[in-house]
Structures are given as C-alpha cells and as structure tokens.
Amino acid sequence: DQTIYLKDYAPSPYLIERVELDVRFEESETRVRALLTILPNRDTEPGTPLVLDGDELTLDTIAIDGLPLVLSAYAATPDALTLMEPPHRRFVLETEVRLTPETNTRLMGLYRSNGVWCTQCEPEGFRRITYFLDRPDILSTYKVTMTADRALAPILLSNGNPSGGGDAGDGRHYAVWEDPFPKPAYLFALVAGDLAAIHDSFTTASGRKVALAIYCEHGKQEQCAYAMDALKRSMAWDERRFGLEYDLDVFNIVAVSDFNFGAMENKGLNIFNDKLVFARPETATDVDYAGIESVIAHEYFHNWTGNRITCRDWFQLCLKEGLTVYRDQEFTMDERSRPVARIEDVRKLRATQFPEDGGPLAHPARPDNYREINNFYTATVYEKGAEIVRMLATLLGEAGFRKGMDLYFERHDGDATTIEAFIAVFAEASGRDLSQFEQWYLQAGTPDLEVGETWDEATRRYSLSFRQRTRPTPGQPEKAPMVIPVRFGLVGPNGSDMGWSGVSGGRVESDLIVLEDGETTITFEGVASRPVPSLLRGFSAPVNLTSSLGQAEKLFLARHDADPFNRWQALQDVAMKLIIDAVDGAALSTADADAFTDALVETLGAEGLDDAFKAHALTLPAETDIARIIGKSVDPDAIHAARQSLIAAISERAGHALGEAYDARSADTPYSPGAAEAGRRALRNTVLGLLVRGGAPGAAARATTQYHEAGNMTDRLAALSSAVAAWTGDAQALLEDFRTHHTADPLVYDKWLAANAIAPHGGTLERLRAILADPDFPRNNPNRLRALVGSFANANPTQFGRADGAGFRFVTDFVADVDRRNPNVAARVLTAFRVWRTYEPGRREAAERALRGLAEAGGLSRNTADILARTLD
Ligand code: BAL
Ligand code: ZN
C-alpha cells in the first residue's frame, strides 16, 4: 500500500536554495543539466541521506561542487537519486539526465505538442525532468538556460524575466530566464518552439509596465484577442478588489493543443489548453468565451493565491484551488451578472461535486490521505473549496473577509502554508472562533438540511426548525454538525420581505441565520402575517435543503422572491417534484402542468430579469441531477421519459409565448461575446430546445433553418444540439453536414464529437465505436478523448446507463486502452462510475461487471487503479 498520510508530514531534511538548469533541445532527445544549491535543514543530523525524486530518469553524470562522485556515494534508479552521505553544509549538486519528450504521452514533465516542447509539472512532473526534492515546500530561485535550433525553436520561454540570450553556433541559439521569486518545482515551466504571438502591455497601479504576450501556433493570433482582453481585465480587477499587483516584468501565456488540465499557473508563464485561449465567433460558443475569461482570470489570480503563497504539501491543495476558484467566480460576477453567475456556479457544483460527495469517491476538501495526488484535482477541492471560502466571506461580511485576506498576504507571503494558517488569519482579523467552521475542510459529504415551520396566528409567532445531518462517507462514519450560514427572508403576502420584532433560539445576524447545532429552532416574534420563507438565498451554503413548502408556495417564491437565485431555485424545485412524481408513476396533472407553465411564461415576460437569467429559469433540472435526488434504484430511461413529458407539456401549453420570445430575439446583429448578447442567444436557444424537444409543430424545421443560417457557432451548435437531443428527422444529416463543413478546426471537431456522444439515441454507441475505430482518430489528444468518451460517460445518462451494460463496457474498454498512454485522462473518465451503486439492480450488476472486468485484466496505472479500487470499495 502506497498511501501517503497527512499525519506523516515532516519538513524536508534538505533544502534547495537555488536551481540552475541548462536545457539543450535536440530533435530526438533533450539534455538537462542541473546545478542545485542544497543545504541541510535546521535539525538535520550529519550523515542523513538525501533522496531526490525521479520518474523515468536516466542519470548520465553526477558531481558535487565540481567533483565527480564515486559510485559508492550514490544510488540512481529511474525513481530516485540517493546521496548516501551528503556534505553537512551548503553544496552544489550537478546532475545530467537525458529525456525523450517525443515519446512522453502522459503529458507530465517535458513533452512535445505539435512539435512544441512544453512542460506540465504540477503536481509531480518536475521529477520527470531532473532529480529533485519534488514537494511544494521546497522553494528555490531559478535560472534557466535553454539552447535549441533557431529554426525549430525561435521562441524559448521560461519563468520569471528574460535575462539574456544570443547565438550558440551551428544554427542554434540560447535564452536565459531568471525568476527572482522562490517557488516550488511544480510551478516550473519552459516552452520551446516555433510560435506566433500577440503582444500587449499592462501598467500596474504603482506604475510598472508589464509586457504581456500570448503565444500560439502560427495563424491563430487573432483568436487570442479575447484571452488578452480577459487577462488585462483580470489584472485590473485583482488590484481593485484585493489590492494585488503583478510582480514580474513580463507575463506570458502559451496555448498548446495537448494538455491534461485546462491550464497551469506556472510563475510568469501560464501554459493553457488551447481550447481555453482560442475564440472567434465562427468556432467558439458563448460558453467557450465565458470559460476562457474565467480560466484566464483563475490562472492569473494564482500568482498570489498559489504562487506567492503556496501549499506546504498536496493535502493543502484546496488552499490555493478553492480560494482561487472563489476569486475567479467573484471576477465573473463583477464582470457579468451576479445572480446568473451564481446559478451557473451552483449548477456546476450540483452536477460535479454533489455526486462526488455522495458516492464512493467522496473525500474532504482537505483530504488526510491519498494514493495518487493526481486524483485529487476534484470538484470537491475546487468547487466545494470555493463554496467554503464563500461561506467564510458570508459569515465575516465583505469588509471582514478583506481584512482577513490582507492579513493572509501580510503574514504568509513567500510561505508554503496550510489550511489551518488560512483559517487562523480570518479568526485573528475578525476576533471570531472559527474552529467549528474548519470542519468544512475536514469532513466529507453534503449536509442534508431539513426545515420545518410553525405559525401561531394568535401570537404572530413564526418558527423555523432546522435539522442537519451528513451521511457517512468513506473513512468517516460519524459526522459532526457544521456551521451553516442560511441567508433568508420572510416573504409576505405582497411578495416583499417582512420584518420581525424579536428573535430567539439561535444566531440571527440581520438576513443571516447561522446554524451550529444538529437541531435548531428559531422563533421570530411580531411577524405581520404568515410568511413564505425564502431560505438559503444565493445558495449561501453547499447543502441539500428540503423544506415543507408546497408547490404553490414555491411558485409564489418563483414570482416574488427578492432573491433572483431563489426564484430560479423555486422553479427548479417545482419541476424536480413533477418529474420525480412522474418517474414514480404519477401522471402529470393538467392543473400542475398549467401552474408550472404559467410561472415559466410569466418569468419569460417579466421585466427586470435579464435574458440569461430567463434562460436558466426555462432550463429543467438535468437528468443526472434528477437521478442524484432520486438517489436509489435509478432507471435513466424512466427519468428521461418523465423529463421529456414535462417538456412536451410546457411546449404544448406555452408554444405561442415561446415562439414569440424566439422571434423577438432573432435580430441578426453582429456577434459580440458580451453578457447581454450572450444572454439573448442563450434564451433564444433554450426556447428552441424546449420547442424542438417538446415536438412543437414546425420546431424541428426551425432548428434545421437556424443551423444553416447561423452566423456564429453558438447558434449553429445550439440548433444542432436541439436536433440531436430530439433526434429529429434531420439530426443525422445535420451531424454529417457539421462534420463536412465545420470540423477542420480541431476545437470544432470536439464539438462534433460531443454532439455525437450525448445523443440520447439507441444508435449512439455504434456511432462512437465507428469514430474511435477510425485509424485517423487522434487517440493521444486529451481534448478529443474527453469530448468523445468523457461527454458520453458524464452527459448521456440513458446511453452510458444502457440496460444491456454496453455503455459501461464501452467506457471500461476505453479506460483500459487509454490508461497505457495517459493515466490522467483514463482515471478521470473512470470517475463517471461513481454513481454505479445508485442504479436499479440490473444496471448496477452490469456496471459492477464492467468494473470488475477492468480490475481483473490488471496492468492499470496507479491513477486508474486507485479510482477503480475506491469506486468498487
Ligand atoms: N493548478 C492546476 C490548474 C489550475 O487549477 O489552475
Ligand atoms: Zn487552479
């Protein structure tokens, strides 16, 4: 068992103060010479061996302070370099290794993507480049010299600032980069290749001019303009909102086409998956533009939350990721619509994190053990981590939160630190005891929060009773009560919030109830009339709320709640109940269908709500979300049919209003990616989807027309998706047309792959098999693989969950194959099975058979074996 435990953390016996790397690129191999200035740590005994990490390395030469080592002084394997008895003083270790980036299909360490040398070091890729103490608490300054053929790699980039370069003879050249900020090895990066670029600059609040560049393959420069704009807005926002300025003379971004992550925050040299850089209206959708904006911001924000202050060990990953996601979410909210951004973040949380937290892969936001750290870049660490920071901001208020953040930077700049240290600065700055709050980082599982109410007409007394419970998760059978901030209002008969004259039974701070116990009853005195409670406004805590409110009260909130998030939530709740009742065999009543449709139509026509909000209001809960709420004996076909019949009922009743809304938003204005225009398109396309899936007369033809006439990818793809989702008579032809006319760009090819993959249609699997069997299919590119099989497994519940088990086998066969080349991609796709125990018995057995087959075949990577073992546990 190779489990690593948080409790075993100990400081490294040696430190590495300075790293000088000399990297020489050749066509078929790369030589890396490293000069490491090493010194023993404070309490290290003389004679303590020094063990440097390696991964598939071959040592060519080794010396200390210029003197070659005798064989007995060290041991070198591909995984480690051990110095038996290093000097008990500062010394320089010199090593040289040879790498073959051309054959590195894992995309960790140094590899080549489209001929460009690039790196990915987080979490443990640097050890694939040179022997090193590859742990985030080893902070070093770096000087990097790169030499390459001038024609093959005219661009040579690394972290920090450029500090020299020139001719190296024989058609070769070199460049030197120095990074003055001590950093962990996971933030190291280099790029060498023949790249084009766009350039710009940003002047910081204190007047320093920073040179900005985005590098990409030739011909793609114009597609980087939106990313550059997002970068400049991010830099300005971090100054405004958190007082954080950029600290180097240059900030470079490089777009590469083969990348495991979305992007990587290497100091001064962010490397991006190209799908999160390239955008133009003909190839990128509004969702792509928004994704680019948020990830550009996210990686930039890491410069302070992650790079200047980093993690002591990988258990603390949430320290940088949860906080940085919170920061990028806030950026999006400030740049776009706050309630719409909140709805989108919560939808993502429920689609990705809640199922994780409720299944076999559940883990605390700060785990206390792992077998493979690559498997902990999860929705829990990222999205729940952001929710935890958001709750902290809710509890402390904006000014209190900012005070804590300021103290965090003041106290910990330059540190590799912990979640405890993060919480401690907020406790100190606010004078509050946050020890119970810290449980959010330590305890896995989504709390269930049940609420009941009582109203005493005679005394005008209104009570809310809360009961919280967190179900057991792997390794945590018992759960403690959590601090749950519940933002709320008591909505009166006219739709406005009512006041009260007194409150007892718990902590209430203006519009915030703070729950701390397993059970709490709060009584409000002097309430004018029986209220409808609006609870968890803005989704103030990541919990599953169930209340005793009936459908009529929910529809009242949908119309009147002062909190737009809860207006949306109320509609979701009503739809969820109607669909689940239908799954349970209760036919949709005319009265229910009318009442729900009326509320939707009213929302559609409401003044003061933006189109993006209305688009979300008109989107029914996803089938996977319905399955999660049902929780057991799940039959994806029954859920699909029930959801489908509600769509049909809406489309039948509201066809006219929907058609008018569609036409009213059909003006052919030039494309702009701004929030208002994107919202208009989102609403129009949501309406189209309802009409097409609802079988409204003429709707299928309308989708076909929109597909052909679309002036941008957002509208074209939406039309295609509606046709495919409903499998209209034209669906097959439209898929063919898209393949023929729009897939020369690999990022658009991904859209075609995903459109095929998510078709809820019996022929889907066969089509996917044919696509994968094509010898030209790019089977090493993570984006292509995820678009095809990731989309299928995560976003096509009826076909992945086919009763005959063929969908499950398709995915496990794929995982077995891809795992040999890229364990990260394979392990990630396999996580789709986290729901397997929630299926009805037939599907459950089929899924288990597929998983056990994968286990029995053996030979899996540590990444995939870990996910598989936990999934089956
Ligand atoms: N640190 C890995 C990519 C990201 O979260 O920014
Ligand atoms: Zn991040």
Side-chain angles (χ1 to χ4, degrees):
D1 183 25
Q2 297 181 323
T3 304
I4 297 168
Y5 294 92
L6 170 61
K7 65 178 165 48
D8 293 339
Y9 172 82
S12 169
Y14 291 90
L15 305 176
I16 302 177
E17 218 170 45
R18 172 120 179 120
V19 179
E20 294 194 16
L21 290 182
D22 184 2
V23 184
R24 279 160 292 153
F25 299 98
E26 305 282 353
E27 200 27 281
S28 58
E29 68 172 24
T30 298
R31 287 174 170 274
V32 179
R33 194 168 73 98
L35 297 175
L36 309 181
T37 304
I38 299 178
L39 66 160
N41 208 345
R42 255 201 321 264
D43 299 326
T44 302
E45 298 285 333
T48 305
L50 165 60
V51 185
L52 299 171
D53 305 297
D55 183 2
E56 298 187 318
L57 291 180
T58 317
L59 182 69
D60 273 354
T61 65
I62 180 164
I64 285 184
D65 293 335
L67 297 174
L69 286 196
V70 294
L71 272 177
S72 59
Y74 69 95
T77 68
D79 297 340
L81 171 62
T82 306
L83 300 189
M84 307 306 177
E85 221 171 310
H88 199 66
R89 57 171 167 77
R90 184 176 272 101
F91 65 95
V92 175
L93 174 69
E94 181 179 344
T95 60
E96 185 160 335
V97 297
R98 247 177 304 167
L99 312 175
T100 51
E102 292 67 27
T103 59
N104 180 359
T105 57
R106 300 170 75 108
L107 312 186
M108 276 288 171
L110 177 69
Y111 63 96
R112 276 183 104 172
S113 170
N114 272 347
V116 176
W117 285 278
C118 65
T119 54
Q120 172 58 38
C121 291
E122 186 178 2
E124 295 178 335
F126 194 67
R127 64 185 64 184
R128 294 168 62 76
I129 296 174
T130 194
Y131 289 107
F132 203 72
L133 290 171
D134 192 4
R135 43 187 287 170
D137 59 349
I138 294 294
L139 307 182
S140 328
T141 58
Y142 284 67
K143 176 181 176 187
V144 180
T145 306
M146 307 159 72
T147 314
D149 183 278
R150 198 186 279 278
L152 214 52
I155 301 297
L156 300 171
L157 305 171
S158 191
N159 314 93
N161 295 319
S163 75
D167 193 70
D170 267 354
R172 293 170 68 80
H173 73 142
Y174 75 99
V176 185
W177 288 81
E178 291 220 45
D179 186 355
F181 293 96
K183 66 168 177 290
Y186 82 84
L187 291 173
F188 169 81
L190 56 74
V191 171
D194 184 5
L195 294 162
I198 62 166
H199 297 274
D200 209 323
S201 70
F202 180 84
T203 303
T204 68
S206 64
R208 273 187 331 98
K209 192 166 174 186
V210 181
L212 312 176
I214 302 183
Y215 290 87
C216 60
E217 67 189 80
H218 288 279
K220 298 270 172 89
Q221 296 93 305
E222 333 79 84
Q223 296 195 49
C224 302
Y226 185 75
M228 182 64 91
D229 177 60
L231 173 62
K232 289 191 290 179
R233 286 187 282 121
S234 306
M235 296 177 88
W237 183 88
D238 218 10
E239 293 183 346
R240 262 196 329 270
R241 181 74 185 269
F242 287 105
L244 299 172
E245 270 190 43
Y246 188 60
D247 51 9
L248 290 165
D249 302 336
V250 301
F251 187 83
N252 289 319
I253 291 174
V254 181
V256 300
S257 45
D258 302 86
F259 206 67
N260 283 345
F261 279 116
M264 179 63 213
E265 70 263 25
N266 318 296
K267 183 77 185 189
L269 178 57
N270 287 186
I271 299 182
F272 267 65
N273 187 320
D274 60 7
K275 83 184 183 121
L276 289 161
V277 174
F278 296 150
R280 56 186 163 141
E282 312 83 73
T283 55
T285 63
D286 292 331
V287 171
D288 295 328
Y289 276 91
I292 289 167
E293 180 179 75
S294 98
V295 179
I296 289 275
H298 179 95
E299 305 310 331
Y300 174 72
F301 296 157
H302 267 315
N303 189 57
W304 279 94
T305 49
N307 301 4
R308 289 287 287 254
I309 305 181
T310 194
C311 303
R312 187 193 71 175
D313 53 69
W314 290 123
F315 298 103
Q316 321 295 331
L317 184 55
C318 189
L319 176 72
K320 72 179 178 79
E321 296 305 346
L323 177 55
T324 305
V325 172
Y326 169 77
R327 277 153 49 69
D328 84 53
Q329 288 178 347
E330 284 292 301
F331 169 73
T332 298
M333 288 172 172
D334 285 349
E335 297 285 301
R336 294 170 178 244
S337 150
R338 187 160 277 269
V340 170
R342 187 63 187 139
I343 291 168
E344 289 171 0
D345 291 337
V346 173
R347 282 178 66 170
K348 181 174 183 189
L349 182 80
R350 288 186 176 140
T352 60
Q353 201 275 328
F354 278 24
E356 183 168 271
D357 230 357
L361 301 178
H363 58 273
R366 192 187 67 186
D368 56 17
N369 72 86
Y370 61 77
R371 273 176 287 196
E372 171 53 64
I373 189 57
N374 275 291
N375 289 340
F376 283 81
Y377 289 77
T378 59
T380 297
V381 166
Y382 278 68
E383 315 307 329
K384 185 172 183 177
E387 293 300 319
I388 298 173
V389 176
R390 184 169 297 284
M391 285 189 284
L392 197 54
T394 299
L395 289 166
L396 303 184
E398 197 177 321
F401 181 73
R402 174 65 196 269
K403 214 169 138 199
M405 286 294 283
D406 288 350
L407 185 59
Y408 180 55
F409 296 116
E410 191 186 312
R411 185 73 48 83
H412 293 293
D413 186 14
D415 288 353
T417 193
T418 60
I419 293 288
E420 278 90 345
F422 179 70
I423 297 279
V425 294
F426 288 94
E428 183 178 331
S430 66
R432 293 209 200 190
D433 178 358
L434 295 173
S435 46
Q436 189 191 355
F437 182 81
E438 197 171 340
Q439 283 297 323
W440 277 107
Y441 283 106
L442 310 182
Q443 192 164 277
T446 307
D448 291 319
L449 183 61
E450 275 175 38
V451 192
E453 48 166 356
T454 55
W455 167 245
D456 185 346
E457 183 80 33
T459 58
R460 308 264 151 204
R461 208 175 262 159
Y462 178 72
S463 297
L464 287 169
S465 302
F466 296 89
R467 189 166 157 264
Q468 59 161 304
R469 189 175 71 100
T470 305
R471 285 173 240 204
T473 55
Q476 292 187 333
E478 304 292 333
K479 302 288 185 178
M482 309 290 269
V483 179
I484 301 179
V486 180
R487 210 177 273 296
F488 78 108
L490 302 182
V491 185
N494 69 355
S496 305
D497 285 2
M498 295 186 295
W500 51 87
S501 58
V503 61
S504 60
R507 246 174 91 185
V508 180
E509 300 161 5
S510 79
D511 66 345
L512 193 66
I513 296 170
V514 182
L515 302 174
E516 292 165 329
D517 301 319
E519 295 189 18
T520 310
T521 297
I522 308 225
T523 301
F524 300 88
E525 309 280 345
V527 180
S529 56
R530 181 179 189 139
V532 178
S534 168
L535 300 172
L536 218 61
R537 283 181 163 172
F539 204 61
S540 56
V543 300
N544 278 312
L545 177 75
T546 49
S547 75
S548 51
L549 293 192
Q551 297 286 81
E553 290 166 304
K554 292 257 168 80
L555 290 174
F556 174 80
L557 290 179
R559 289 187 166 91
H560 299 296
D561 201 316
D563 179 53
F565 180 89
N566 268 5
R567 288 182 74 168
W568 170 79
Q569 182 66 59
L571 289 171
Q572 293 287 298
D573 289 349
V574 171
M576 186 69 86
K577 178 160 172 30
L578 295 178
I579 295 168
I580 291 177
D581 286 352
V583 171
D584 289 342
L588 180 65
S589 76
T590 303
D592 284 344
D594 286 348
F596 181 54
T597 307
D598 286 351
L600 289 184
V601 170
E602 226 175 278
T603 306
L604 183 60
E607 309 246 324
L609 294 175
D610 54 38
D611 280 358
F613 176 89
K614 293 177 182 179
H616 286 299
L618 264 67
T619 303
L620 300 187
E623 288 168 32
T624 45
D625 219 29
I626 300 162
R628 177 178 62 78
I629 298 291
I630 293 175
K632 56 179 190 297
S633 293
V634 165
D635 172 353
D637 291 326
I639 292 174
H640 181 78
R643 185 175 185 271
Q644 195 52 40
S645 58
L646 182 58
I647 292 174
I650 294 163
S651 145
E652 190 188 323
R653 285 166 173 75
H656 183 70
L658 292 170
E660 279 187 344
Y662 180 92
D663 291 338
R665 287 164 182 82
S666 295
D668 196 12
T669 50
Y671 180 90
S672 108
E677 277 291 289
R680 180 180 68 81
R681 284 186 290 271
L683 180 53
R684 180 168 175 262
N685 288 326
T686 301
V687 163
L688 178 71
L690 281 173
L691 291 170
V692 176
R693 295 186 72 161
R702 202 188 301 229
T704 301
T705 305
Q706 177 174 317
Y707 170 87
H708 287 297
E709 291 180 354
N712 58 71
M713 183 50 71
T714 305
D715 290 336
R716 190 180 319 280
L717 188 65
L720 177 68
S721 302
S722 292
V724 169
W727 207 253
T728 66
D730 290 339
Q732 185 76 45
L734 295 182
L735 278 172
E736 291 303 320
D737 183 90
F738 195 89
R739 174 80 178 107
T740 310
H741 295 111
H742 300 285
T743 56
D745 183 323
L747 298 178
V748 183
Y749 178 53
D750 287 346
K751 298 183 192 310
W752 181 78
L753 293 173
N756 277 281
I758 64 176
H761 177 256
T764 293
L765 202 48
E766 208 177 312
R767 264 200 328 278
L768 301 196
R769 283 206 189 96
I771 293 169
L772 262 186
D774 183 338
D776 290 335
F777 183 80
R779 48 189 25 79
N780 285 344
N781 179 283
N783 290 359
R784 304 303 90 80
L785 299 173
R786 286 187 287 245
L788 192 73
V789 186
S791 309
F792 175 74
N794 289 297
N796 193 342
T798 59
Q799 302 310 302
F800 173 60
R802 274 166 59 137
D804 64 3
F808 302 136
R809 283 196 306 279
F810 173 72
V811 175
T812 50
D813 288 350
F814 169 85
V815 166
D817 177 46
V818 169
D819 194 46
R820 291 190 275 269
R821 302 188 296 280
N822 191 329
N824 265 312
V825 170
R828 180 58 66 115
V829 168
L830 189 61
T831 62
F833 278 94
R834 64 194 173 197
V835 295
W836 75 273
R837 276 185 217 277
T838 66
Y839 286 122
E840 49 77 26
R843 286 175 172 86
R844 196 161 62 224
E845 276 162 34
E848 183 170 7
R849 252 197 321 278
L851 290 169
R852 298 222 179 269
L854 185 60
E856 279 152 22
L860 295 172
S861 68
R862 188 165 66 198
N863 309 48
T864 299
D866 170 50
I867 296 289
L868 185 56
R870 287 193 280 141
T871 302
L872 280 168
D873 210 16

